[in-house]
Amino acid sequence: MRSIWNGAISFGLVSIPIKLVNATENHSISFRQIHTADGGRIRYRKVCELDGEEVTSAEIGKGYEEADGSVIPITDEDLSALPLPTAKTIEIVTFVPASQIDPLQMDAAYYLAASGIPAAKPYTLLREALKRSDRVAIAKFALRGRERLGMLRVVDDVIAMHGLLWPDEIRAPEGVAPETEVTIRDAELDLADALMATLGEVDVDSLHDDYREAVEAMLAAKSESGAGLTPEQTPAPTGNAQVIDLMAALEKSVRAAKASRGEAEPQESGEAGEAAADVAEVTPIRRRPARKTAPKSAAAPKAATGKKSTSTTKKTTPTGSAAKTTAKTAKTAKTAKSAAAKKTTTKSTAAKKTTASSTKKATTSKKATSTPQKRSSA
């Protein structure tokens, strides 16, 4: 068994190194608070009343609240400076008959185990002395930051210690007994004695917790029938998942911004096209409307070339010169677009001249054909 305290028993001038071990254990079935909708655990968090922030154990200290509501902070250094002679010692102060100890005073029970081979002889000496005297030892000891009272007695071949409440911690039974006067007849007492004798024949070791057994049976039945709730485990987010979510949020934001400005997204195929569209979004080329005289088929390749150039420049240019590179790229694309527009205008002018020349020739030919006809009729 694991010890919870190490120290020594002070028996006059005799010191007995011992270890303190819990002598009892709790077999009660404990339940957890859950959310009835999905079976999730309900936990209590430690929150500061002033700022509403959750605090960790390292941020929690001790304080004493006075009657007016003010709190006096108490540090571990303050407590360690106080005199506590029984911090590591179980100091025996007297030996009394066991009948003098009121069971109301009894608290938790512990076993005292000898610590090491040198402690075996003084430990056995105290044990045998308690057996022969038919008394118990009253001692002081400190546990969990406070001084306590204890009673040492022998259980089989082990010294056991019961924690005792201080006498002033026992409340007087005022107003608990019936206030009405009741008369009890001897015949009734005889029947009560007979009942006590009958019940006294029951072996105490055979008693068990019927309710706990019923709860265990119910839990086993529910587990076999599959009626248990398995809370959904939310996977811990990884670094890649956070990046993907961030990119999706950015893409949605870009599309929402375009829709708010009334701009239509270009229909480009492939991931490269989507990347080019996102890059071209920040350049002034996309914002300026195309000229009416320039056909869409002629402007599209130039715009695509501008997008690729911008994308390539952003990937290879350092962060500090990104703005200058974007401006140069926009200027280059603008010049190319103007050249394309001028070229298209030149072609249109040449086409008009060609059409006018053809029309003039056709008119001349028609006049030449009609003139001989008039002469022959004359």
Side-chain angles (χ1 to χ4, degrees):
M1 292 183 285
R2 185 175 63 88
S3 62
I4 61 173
W5 185 88
N6 293 334
I9 300 175
S10 177
F11 178 34
L13 298 178
V14 179
S15 180
I16 310 171
I18 56 95
K19 295 180 179 180
L20 196 67
V21 179
N22 281 320
T24 61
E25 56 186 0
N26 188 1
H27 289 167
S28 299
I29 298 176
S30 59
F31 299 101
R32 301 191 183 279
Q33 291 185 330
I34 64 170
H35 186 197
T36 56
D38 53 15
R41 284 283 305 278
I42 302 299
R43 300 181 183 274
Y44 292 99
R45 303 185 184 277
K46 298 178 180 179
V47 178
C48 177
E49 292 182 352
L50 297 181
D51 56 15
E53 297 292 334
E54 183 178 354
V55 295
T56 61
S57 299
E59 301 175 285
I60 300 176
K62 299 181 180 69
Y64 175 77
E65 185 176 0
E66 295 186 311
D68 59 355
S70 60
V71 178
I72 302 175
I74 303 297
T75 63
D76 293 338
E77 289 77 11
D78 296 334
L79 297 176
S80 61
L82 298 177
L84 190 59
T86 56
K88 286 293 182 181
T89 304
I90 299 176
E91 182 182 352
I92 297 177
V93 294
T94 186
F95 293 88
V96 298
S99 58
Q100 292 187 7
I101 304 300
D102 190 343
L104 283 175
Q105 286 187 257
M106 291 189 179
D107 198 1
Y110 309 94
Y111 289 135
L112 303 181
S115 180
I117 297 177
K121 186 171 183 178
Y123 183 92
T124 305
L125 174 63
L126 177 60
R127 182 190 66 192
E128 297 301 321
L130 290 173
K131 282 183 179 180
R132 190 168 69 172
S133 66
D134 197 17
R135 293 188 175 192
V136 296
I138 304 300
K140 289 182 177 181
F141 69 102
L143 184 64
R144 298 186 180 93
R146 56 166 295 196
E147 192 171 52
R148 303 168 186 262
L149 195 63
M151 180 190 72
L152 277 64
R153 69 185 184 96
V154 178
V155 177
D156 295 336
D157 289 334
V158 176
I159 299 176
M161 181 175 69
H162 295 268
L164 297 179
L165 300 175
W166 296 98
D168 59 355
E169 294 179 329
I170 304 299
R171 301 174 61 183
E174 297 178 356
V176 179
E179 297 179 357
T180 305
E181 294 185 2
V182 178
T183 303
I184 302 296
R185 295 179 297 173
D186 291 339
E188 294 172 336
L189 287 174
D190 293 339
L191 289 175
D193 290 339
L195 179 60
M196 290 169 60
T198 304
L199 295 177
E201 297 177 358
V202 177
D203 186 6
V204 177
D205 294 336
S206 65
L207 300 178
H208 55 276
D209 189 348
D210 295 331
Y211 178 77
R212 177 168 60 88
E213 293 181 355
V215 172
E216 291 175 349
M218 175 194 66
L219 294 176
K222 281 182 170 290
S223 178
E224 291 178 0
S225 63
L229 295 175
T230 303
E232 295 183 1
Q233 300 294 333
T234 304
T238 60
N240 294 335
Q242 292 179 355
V243 172
I244 292 174
D245 292 341
L246 178 60
M247 292 299 297
L250 289 175
E251 290 175 358
K252 289 181 179 179
S253 300
V254 171
R255 287 195 292 269
K258 286 181 177 181
S260 65
R261 293 195 303 265
E263 296 183 7
E265 293 188 11
Q267 301 295 329
E268 299 186 55
S269 59
E271 296 180 358
E274 295 178 1
D278 291 339
V279 172
E281 170 62 23
V282 299
T283 63
I285 300 175
R286 297 287 299 166
R287 297 176 182 175
R288 294 185 58 186
R291 295 187 181 181
K292 295 182 180 181
T293 55
K296 293 183 180 180
S297 59
K302 299 296 181 180
T305 306
K307 292 175 187 175
K308 293 180 179 179
S309 174
T310 305
S311 177
T312 307
T313 305
K314 285 195 172 185
K315 290 181 179 179
T316 57
T317 306
T319 307
S321 59
K324 294 182 179 180
T325 304
T326 304
K328 290 181 180 180
T329 305
K331 187 175 181 180
T332 303
K334 183 178 179 180
T335 304
K337 189 173 182 180
S338 299
K342 289 180 179 181
K343 187 176 180 180
T344 304
T345 305
T346 304
K347 289 182 179 180
S348 300
T349 303
K352 287 181 179 180
K353 290 182 178 181
T354 304
T355 305
S357 177
S358 301
T359 305
K360 187 176 182 180
K361 288 181 179 181
T363 305
T364 305
S365 176
K366 186 176 181 181
K367 289 181 178 180
T369 308
S370 58
T371 301
Q373 291 178 356
K374 290 181 179 181
R375 290 178 180 179
S376 58
S377 57

